């Protein structure tokens, strides 16, 4: 039986809880990376404490969230990526949710990322893409745009997933499929398996993990063929209800505050754990304004107002939660302090998304780049997030790092 057929069958199997119990007992395997990062830390008390845990038995932790599975090495949002994340002890797994032309829900980071996450531009379905592949020419980079909404579910399921990348210098569609970052790998792309949202529910449940689906912003105008934003938000929740998943196991996410408020109003059991992915730092609307993590006056709506709306969890990128003090040490930002003062649970993203930290960590570490100089600083940042900011969960592209820290610290 194929993996896809097995997942489909799991949705109808009444003995699924027994299957989940079996998988939840699988031993956690940290692999070599946590020890490697500890070796790269600056000498000090935290390094000594983490090193003393090297012989510990691993355990699953809800503090550790698989960001699209384990995409540092596996194609994101695939069966294989999420199995790897579960084996690393991630207690919560993510399906980014979008929809196909026939309005079926599937796991993709964006509705318009098929050209970088699958082989579509080199298949017969390339002609259905919103923007056909255009080869590089002179200073103009190669480009394409292929959306899940360009395809039916059946067509989507014929695609082969790959690492999220594209070769901007490509002159052929086949060349465009390359471009994987040097610090990632194509070693595990063979026979990787795409998932529908319903299949992700069955898989994550069978692995003993909880769920954090993200309702992705559509690339098409809504309503789409009569499918409204509210229909979309409701359909995602309905698939958990149909699968018999307890709402306490689901942390539904969205960057769209209206989605969060819809769930709070219409699905209060799910809305109580809905996670507002705060990206107001990118806002251009004068009424919304830009967020400066150092200036609480820019937090619109304020943390207190969010709490009064019924929002209980907020999830900004990790750089918004951190700053440096006069000595150069990493400390919580005023944004983090305001969120805590409003009694908002804080989740953050994404550890180990940027590759090696020797050059300052890139976008995810922009507020503390002066304090980042070595790969071991992943643990330094994680410690401040956990102990000083007080986050309740951390997304990572390699969950073993967060699991190891959580186990060592008893989180």
């Amino acid at each position: 039986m194929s993996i896809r057929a097995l997942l489909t069958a799991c949705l109808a199997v009444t003995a699924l809880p027994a299957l989940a119990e079996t998988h939840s007992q699988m031993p956690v395997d940290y692999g070599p990376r946590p020890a490697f990062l500890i070796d790269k830390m600056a000498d000090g008390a935290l390094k000594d404490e983490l090193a003393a845990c090297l012989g510990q038995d691993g355990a699953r932790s809800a503090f550790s969230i698989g960001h699209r599975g384990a995409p540092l090495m596996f194609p994101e949002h695939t069966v294989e990526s999420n199995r790897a994340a579960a084996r690393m002890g991630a207690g919560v797994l993510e399906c980014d949710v979008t929809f196909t032309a026939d309005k079926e829900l599937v796991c993709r980071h964006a509705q318009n990322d098929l050209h970088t996450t699958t082989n579509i531009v080199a298949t017969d379905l390339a002609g259905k893409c919103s923007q056909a592949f255009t080869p590089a020419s002179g200073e103009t980079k190669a480009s394409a745009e292929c959306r899940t909404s360009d395809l039916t579910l059946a067509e989507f399921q014929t695609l082969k997933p790959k690492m999220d990348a594209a070769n901007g210098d490509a002159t052929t569609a086949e060349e465009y499929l390359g471009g994987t970052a040097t610090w990632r790998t194509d070693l595990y792309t063979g026979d990787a398996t795409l998932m529908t949202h319903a299949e992700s529910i069955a898989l994550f449940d069978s692995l003993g993990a909880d769920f954090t689906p993200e309702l992705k912003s559509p690339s098409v105008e809504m309503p789409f063929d009569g499918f409204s934003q509210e229909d979309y938000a409701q359909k995602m929740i309905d698939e958990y209800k149909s699968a018999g998943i307890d709402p306490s196991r689901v942390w539904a996410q969205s960057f769209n505050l209206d989605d969060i408020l819809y769930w709070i109003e219409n699905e209060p059991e799910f809305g109580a754990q809905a996670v507002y992915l705060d990206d107001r730092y990118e806002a251009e609307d004068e009424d919304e304004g830009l967020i400066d993590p150092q200036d609480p006056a820019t937090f619109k709506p304020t943390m207190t107002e969010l709490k009064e709306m019924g929002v209980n969890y907020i999830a900004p990128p990790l750089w918004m939660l951190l700053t440096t003090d006069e000595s150069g040490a990493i400390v919580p930002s005023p944004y983090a302090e305001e969120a805590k003062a409003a009694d908002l649970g804080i989740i953050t993203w994404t550890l180990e998304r940027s590759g090696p930290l020797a050059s300052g960590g890139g976008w995810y570490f922009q507020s503390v780049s002066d304090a980042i100089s070595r790969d071991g600083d992943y643990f330094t940042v994680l410690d401040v997030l956990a102990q000083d900011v007080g986050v309740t969960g951390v997304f990572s592209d390699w969950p073993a790092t967060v699991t190891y820290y959580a186990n060592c610290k008893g989180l």
Side-chain angles (χ1 to χ4, degrees):
M1 179 180 290
S2 68
I3 291 176
R4 182 172 302 284
L6 177 61
L7 286 174
T8 302
C10 279
L11 288 171
V13 174
T14 58
L16 188 58
L19 181 62
E21 181 179 354
T22 299
H23 281 283
S24 68
Q25 302 305 314
M26 72 170 67
V28 170
D29 184 1
Y30 296 130
R33 185 160 175 78
F36 168 81
L37 294 177
I38 292 168
D39 287 343
K40 299 298 182 183
M41 293 178 69
D43 291 339
L46 179 60
K47 180 176 183 178
D48 293 343
E49 182 181 3
L50 293 176
C53 293
L54 285 171
Q56 69 182 356
D57 291 330
R60 186 184 309 277
S61 173
F63 187 78
S64 178
I65 306 171
H67 180 243
R68 317 184 203 179
L72 187 63
M73 296 181 71
F74 293 83
E76 63 187 48
H77 290 311
T78 60
V79 170
E80 294 75 13
S81 186
N82 283 286
R83 285 194 181 279
R87 291 181 179 120
M88 294 180 213
V92 183
L93 298 174
E94 178 187 42
C95 169
D96 289 327
V97 178
T98 187
F99 57 86
T100 60
D102 43 356
K103 302 188 254 329
E104 296 297 328
L105 303 186
V106 296
C107 299
R108 288 290 89 196
H109 178 64
Q111 189 168 53
N112 62 340
D113 75 0
L114 293 182
H115 52 289
T116 64
T117 63
T118 76
N119 67 334
I120 187 171
V121 298
T123 73
D124 292 340
L125 292 171
K128 291 200 165 191
C129 290
S130 293
Q131 177 191 327
F133 168 71
T134 302
S137 178
E139 296 184 359
T140 302
K141 294 293 186 180
S143 64
E145 184 182 354
C146 304
R147 303 173 177 176
T148 57
S149 53
D150 294 333
L151 308 177
T152 65
L153 175 60
E155 291 168 333
F156 169 82
Q157 290 174 325
T158 68
L159 299 176
K160 294 182 179 180
K162 68 180 191 68
M163 297 300 282
D164 185 9
N167 178 3
D169 296 323
T171 58
T172 68
E174 289 73 16
E175 289 177 349
Y176 189 71
L177 300 180
T180 301
T182 56
W183 41 269
R184 294 184 184 269
T185 181
D186 292 315
L187 186 62
Y188 301 106
T189 57
D191 297 321
T193 312
L194 295 172
M195 295 187 296
T196 67
H197 177 235
E199 288 170 343
S200 80
I201 296 172
L203 176 66
F204 299 174
D205 197 31
S206 77
L207 295 171
D210 289 341
F211 315 84
T212 185
E214 179 188 337
L215 196 74
K216 302 302 296 190
S217 298
S219 298
V220 295
E221 185 176 348
M222 300 293 278
F224 175 75
D225 190 26
F227 189 54
S228 70
Q229 184 68 27
E230 292 78 11
D231 294 334
Y232 179 30
Q234 186 62 52
K235 183 166 185 171
M236 188 181 86
I237 298 302
D238 285 345
E239 294 199 343
Y240 289 94
K241 295 166 73 172
S242 295
I245 301 298
D246 191 301
S248 66
R249 297 178 61 197
V250 181
W251 283 263
Q253 312 170 70
S254 180
F255 282 105
N256 183 352
L257 183 56
D258 287 342
D259 293 337
I260 305 297
L261 299 179
Y262 174 85
W263 291 324
I264 290 170
E265 176 67 23
N266 296 281
E267 292 287 351
E269 288 187 291
F270 289 89
Q273 291 192 161
V275 181
Y276 175 38
L277 295 162
D278 192 354
D279 69 344
R280 291 175 289 163
Y281 54 86
E282 292 184 340
E284 295 180 358
D285 189 326
E286 291 183 2
D287 293 331
E288 191 170 352
L290 295 170
I291 281 184
D292 177 354
Q294 314 307 323
D295 182 6
T298 68
F299 306 163
K300 300 177 182 179
T302 67
M303 302 299 180
T304 299
E305 289 169 339
L306 286 173
K307 187 70 175 180
E308 290 171 348
M309 293 176 188
V311 177
N312 290 318
Y313 290 91
I314 193 167
L318 63 86
W319 67 264
M320 289 183 66
L321 298 170
L322 304 173
T323 188
T324 54
D325 63 15
E326 294 179 356
S327 71
I330 300 173
V331 296
S333 69
Y335 176 95
E337 299 290 4
E338 289 283 328
K340 286 198 296 182
D343 196 29
L344 287 168
I346 306 172
I347 300 167
T348 195
W349 44 278
T350 302
L351 206 70
E352 298 180 278
R353 185 76 186 161
S354 305
L357 297 186
S359 60
W363 186 85
Y364 290 92
F365 296 85
Q366 60 186 278
S367 63
V368 293
S369 58
D370 290 343
I372 300 297
S373 62
R374 62 185 81 201
D375 280 358
D377 289 331
Y378 275 122
F379 275 128
T380 306
V381 168
L382 188 54
D383 191 58
V384 176
L385 290 169
Q387 305 303 324
D388 300 328
V389 175
V391 299
T392 61
V394 178
F395 283 88
S396 178
D397 277 19
W398 200 246
T401 303
V402 180
T403 305
Y404 181 93
Y405 176 89
N407 287 176
C408 188
K409 289 284 191 175
L411 299 182

